[in-house]
Amino acid sequence: MIAEDLLDLAPVIPVVVLDDAEAAVPLARALVEGGLPVIEVTLRTPSAVEAITRIATEVPDAVVGAGTVVRPEDAETSAAAGARFLVSPGCTSRLQAAMVATGLPFLPGVATASEAIALLEGGITAMKFFPAEAAGGAPYLKALGGPLPGIRFCPTGGVSRGNAADYLALRNVACVGGTWLTPADAVRDGDWDRIRELASEAASLR
Ligand code: 3PG
């Protein structure tokens, strides 16, 4: 799978921060059942790598990836754990090389035209726009589409059920990502019905 195809699998990519790997499988099942099969588990907690492995092994209908890939070694660790894609909040040439080396599709993060052009020079046309709301939101991303029409973005960072549709209406937005699908209290309480409903609502956005 190439990154462009990854962007087309679902209108929303849940960004998941998991403190307990035990929650990974029921959480992933709820998201898949709600209609969101692409799941980004962020490498922000000690249990993230274990969570990726569990989802990859036990939830075959999920397409699980690693987010918050910031160190070159994170790329290989994630691939070895079973991640099927990688997402980074920004990019450097070393990080880019490490992600390429895994053979996995990846979404490198950008927030400016220069960062996007640097990646374009490497043949990359699928990117994360981060931090979406703080960097200028949907109007800013729409403006980038004028001179850079060949890039398709997944905006994340401040995207929510209230503004996701504004981004999805843009020609250069393929899908959006965010943590609003997996509220911390719902994950802690094992309220998978609520998460399934949030996923279902988001899955119908496009
Ligand atoms: C990310 O890693 O993409 C963002 O931290 C998600 O941001 P959100 O919590 O504002 O959705």
Side-chain angles (χ1 to χ4, degrees):
M1 180 170 60
I2 62 170
E4 287 282 349
D5 296 333
L6 174 72
L7 291 179
D8 289 327
L9 292 179
V12 179
I13 299 178
V15 176
V16 178
V17 182
L18 268 178
D19 289 316
D20 180 6
E22 290 291 330
V25 166
L27 173 68
R29 287 198 180 118
L31 292 168
V32 170
E33 286 164 13
L36 299 181
V38 185
I39 302 169
E40 174 188 332
V41 177
T42 58
L43 301 180
R44 293 181 207 175
T45 58
S47 57
V49 172
E50 170 72 15
I52 289 168
T53 298
R54 289 194 189 198
I55 296 170
T57 308
E58 298 180 44
V59 192
D61 291 338
V63 178
V64 64
T68 320
V69 172
V70 292
R71 301 173 303 172
E73 57 266 36
D74 293 337
E76 181 50 38
T77 302
S78 302
R84 291 173 62 187
F85 65 92
L86 307 171
V87 183
S88 67
C91 204
T92 66
S93 52
R94 280 185 66 216
L95 183 57
Q96 184 178 335
M99 292 195 287
V100 169
T102 66
L104 294 173
F106 61 93
L107 299 174
V110 301
T112 68
S114 291
E115 291 164 3
I117 290 168
L119 290 168
L120 261 186
E121 288 175 353
I124 294 168
T125 56
M127 304 177 195
K128 160 170 165 148
F129 172 53
F130 177 83
E133 280 292 287
Y140 180 104
L141 191 52
K142 183 179 182 184
L144 282 183
L148 301 170
I151 303 174
R152 294 170 78 222
F153 293 96
C154 173
T156 79
V159 180
S160 66
R161 58 192 297 197
N163 60 17
D166 296 339
Y167 286 99
L168 288 167
L170 301 181
R171 292 164 59 95
N172 58 346
V173 169
C175 61
V176 302
T179 56
W180 87 93
L181 295 310
T182 54
D185 58 338
V187 176
R188 187 193 58 228
D189 299 342
D191 189 352
W192 313 128
D193 286 342
R194 182 168 165 219
I195 288 173
R196 194 181 301 107
E197 281 163 23
L198 285 166
S200 176
E201 177 189 59
S204 64
L205 275 170
R206 187 179 254 179

